[in-house]
Every structure is written in structure tokens, then in C-alpha cells.
Amino acid sequence: MSVLVDPLENILYKLVSSFAGGGTGFIGKRLVTLLRSSGYDVTVVSRMPGLNRITWHDLEAQGLPRGTTAVVNLVGQNVLDPTRRWTPGFKQNVWNSRVNSTASMAKAIAKGSDAPGVFVNISGVSLYPPAGPDSREIFDESSPGVEYDFMSRLCIAWEAAAALPPSSDWRGIRLRTGVVLGRQGGMIGNIFLPFYLGLGGPVASGLQPLPWIHIDDLCAIILLCLTRNDITGHINAVAPHIVSNADFSRAFAKALRRPAVFKVPELILNILFARERAVLLTTGARVASKRLPELGYKFQYPQIEDACMQLAERKR
């Protein structure tokens, strides 16, 4: 099987042999490693041509490479890039990198392939409304998405862009992920040093739910989606342990043997990121998955304490 990955982690793969190429990106690298060990060949979708790569222009002009049987789409501009101001131009980049790129992938699939396949699109859980101070509501795959702010509208448009025509013989799967925890990037990459120095702590009140998943579980769930022909539709890719931001902060600090007493005020985050995107840090929904247990998936890291202990290991 071969895989195409762009620097923003867009992965396209085809079942052609038992060897694999390389991949880039936080999730992409880990997923490619898993695919390689499972006998997949990997190709990168990139802005620049190269070995085991195709460009976005090639994809648009020529469609899927011959023999492609699956696409895993992880593309997206980093919303919480602190070096980028929340300007109309940057917001448009965030939108285009998800919605337009996903639409291009879906169009390439619809344009034609020489075999049935599967399209796994990775989005987020921001389409579920944030929990209020006294709310105990839990959202699962049967809960409808709601447009209530920029991030929720983005998630809904993102998933809509991944829709395949009814006539397609490809399976469509939409994974809605929580915060992906991995030592090599993402949220942990940003907060590891402050927490290691004993300067970590909850964000804002710390009471807001933090839907999460360990990167190894996310990659294993993606592989499960590729190999199980009976899987279609929406899946919440979140760990079963529902925690708050403060719960996570305590668990991560404990795993590092550090205190977690330095709160990050909401006002500072609103100034740094602008309130419209700071809500990704200051609010959250209680999200669970009914489908993963039904599919028989067993989490490697079901509890936040287990995940944090792994994340704190020096060797990783």
C-alpha cells in the first residue's frame, strides 16, 4: 500500500506492495511508521516534487495515482500558531487549508480510480457546543453538529467538503478527533518545556472539558478504518476518559514530577490568540464515542494518567 503525505499531513495511499516511503508532519510521521510496519508503501503529496511524492497540481490535473485504494486526509493550517495574528487573511488560510484542500481530495476520488477504496477524513470535535458551567451533557456520534462560531462552521464545512457522490464505490469515514497527544508535536510539543520547568498549569478556569486521544490510538483507529470494510460514517476519535483541562494538567505534571500551579488567564489567551480562536483552549465539550466500542477497538491509552506517563518518558 502506498501513502501520499503533504507537509500539512495530508495522506493518500494505495495498496500496491509491501514496502513504504517516508512522510512528514506530527501525525503523518507516526501514521507512516505504522503503515510501513503493516506493509504499506508511502508517497508524499507536496508543494514540491520529489522521490515518492506527487504535487497538488499533479493531483488536480491527473487525479489519483493508478492503483490508489484509499485516502487519509489530515491537511490543515495550524490554527493556534502564536506567530500568526488572527487576521481575515489568516482565517481564510485556515479555512482554505481544510475545506478547499479536502474538496480537492474528494474531487480527485470522484474523478475516477481503478479500484474501490476508502476515504478517511480527519476533522475535529468543535462542532459540538461547549459545556456550560453546570452541564453534564455528553456528545456522541448520534449528536448533531451545531454552527455556533467560526470553529464549528469550519468543522461542518470541512466534513461537507469530504462528501463523495452517491454513485462512488468508495467508503467515506469522518474521524472527529479530540486534542491529539504526542511527544513530537501538537499541544504536548508546545507545553512540554513549561511543564518540565515547573511552570505549567491549567488554562483559564481549568473546568472546561478537554476531549483528547493519544497519537498511537489515533493512528491505530485510522488503520482499523482502512482494513475494516464494514466501517463508514462518523466516528468520534476520542479516548473514553472524559477529563477537564485541570485534570489533564495535574496528570501531566504528576507524570513529570512537577507542580501544576501556574494558571494561564483567559484574558492573556484572548489577547494572544484573539477570542475567536482562543475558545479552542478556554472552552470544550464533553465528547465520547459509542462507535469505537461497538467496533471492538481497545484503546492503548484509555486513561489520561496512562497517556501522560508515556508522554513523560524521556526515550519518547
Side-chain angles (χ1 to χ4, degrees):
M1 196 173 273
S2 75
V3 183
L4 294 141
V5 185
D6 89 335
L8 292 175
E9 299 182 53
N10 185 64
I11 299 179
L12 172 68
Y13 71 93
K14 56 183 178 179
L15 181 55
V16 292
S17 69
S18 61
F19 59 93
T24 62
F26 166 50
I27 300 172
K29 287 180 178 178
R30 186 61 65 91
L31 179 58
V32 165
T33 298
L34 177 61
L35 292 176
R36 179 183 292 116
S37 67
S38 302
Y40 291 80
D41 182 27
V42 181
T43 306
V44 178
V45 180
S46 175
R47 296 174 184 83
M48 299 296 293
L51 183 63
N52 295 324
R53 295 189 179 203
I54 66 168
T55 66
W56 282 97
H57 176 74
D58 293 335
L59 184 66
E60 182 177 353
Q62 303 169 17
L64 300 178
R66 184 174 178 79
T68 298
T69 57
V71 173
V72 181
N73 184 34
L74 290 152
V75 68
Q77 170 79 43
N78 179 10
V79 178
L80 291 173
D81 183 347
T83 68
R84 302 294 299 274
R85 293 179 56 242
W86 192 239
T87 62
F90 183 62
K91 287 173 64 174
Q92 192 62 50
N93 286 343
V94 167
W95 188 278
N96 291 345
S97 71
R98 286 165 170 76
V99 178
N100 293 1
S101 296
T102 299
S104 294
M105 276 293 175
K107 183 178 179 180
I109 293 169
K111 192 174 181 178
S113 62
D114 51 9
V118 54
F119 181 26
V120 180
N121 188 64
I122 315 297
S123 59
V125 296
S126 292
L127 76 175
Y128 298 122
D134 302 315
S135 174
R136 305 301 293 174
E137 183 176 12
I138 297 176
F139 298 96
D140 58 35
E141 290 87 351
S142 66
S143 306
V146 179
E147 293 189 15
Y148 59 90
D149 66 357
F150 175 83
M151 297 302 171
S152 61
R153 291 191 296 273
L154 174 61
C155 277
I156 290 173
W158 194 357
E159 290 195 350
L164 300 174
S167 60
S168 175
D169 57 0
W170 279 48
R171 288 186 293 125
I173 301 171
R174 298 169 190 175
L175 292 182
R176 298 167 175 170
T177 75
V179 174
V180 181
L181 303 181
R183 191 53 192 277
Q184 304 305 318
M187 184 178 78
I188 297 301
N190 290 327
I191 70 170
F192 188 88
L193 183 58
F195 269 79
Y196 185 77
L197 295 175
L199 302 176
V203 169
S205 70
L207 300 177
Q208 67 276 23
L210 181 69
W212 65 279
I213 186 168
H214 192 282
I215 190 171
D216 288 349
D217 278 310
L218 176 57
C219 291
I221 290 167
I222 293 172
L223 183 59
L224 179 70
C225 290
L226 304 185
T227 56
R228 286 272 298 270
N229 291 330
D230 59 328
I231 301 178
T232 60
H234 300 99
I235 298 176
N236 289 341
V238 293
H241 189 191
I242 297 176
V243 301
S244 68
N245 182 276
D247 293 333
F248 162 75
S249 297
R250 284 191 293 268
F252 190 47
K254 182 178 180 180
L256 291 170
R257 300 182 181 180
R258 300 292 190 274
V261 296
F262 290 91
K263 280 191 174 184
V264 182
E266 183 173 348
L267 177 61
I268 297 299
L269 294 171
N270 288 340
I271 293 172
L272 180 62
F273 293 109
R275 187 180 183 280
E276 196 170 39
R277 63 173 168 168
V279 294
L280 291 172
L281 301 171
T282 60
T283 67
R286 293 166 58 84
V287 182
S289 177
K290 287 197 309 183
R291 295 204 60 199
L292 288 174
E294 291 172 355
L295 292 169
Y297 181 74
K298 302 297 183 183
F299 278 83
Q300 301 172 56
Y301 301 98
Q303 300 292 313
I304 193 64
E305 292 82 6
D306 298 330
C308 287
M309 288 299 293
Q310 188 279 327
L311 295 168
E313 291 178 8
R314 291 181 183 273
K315 65 181 180 180
R316 302 297 291 269

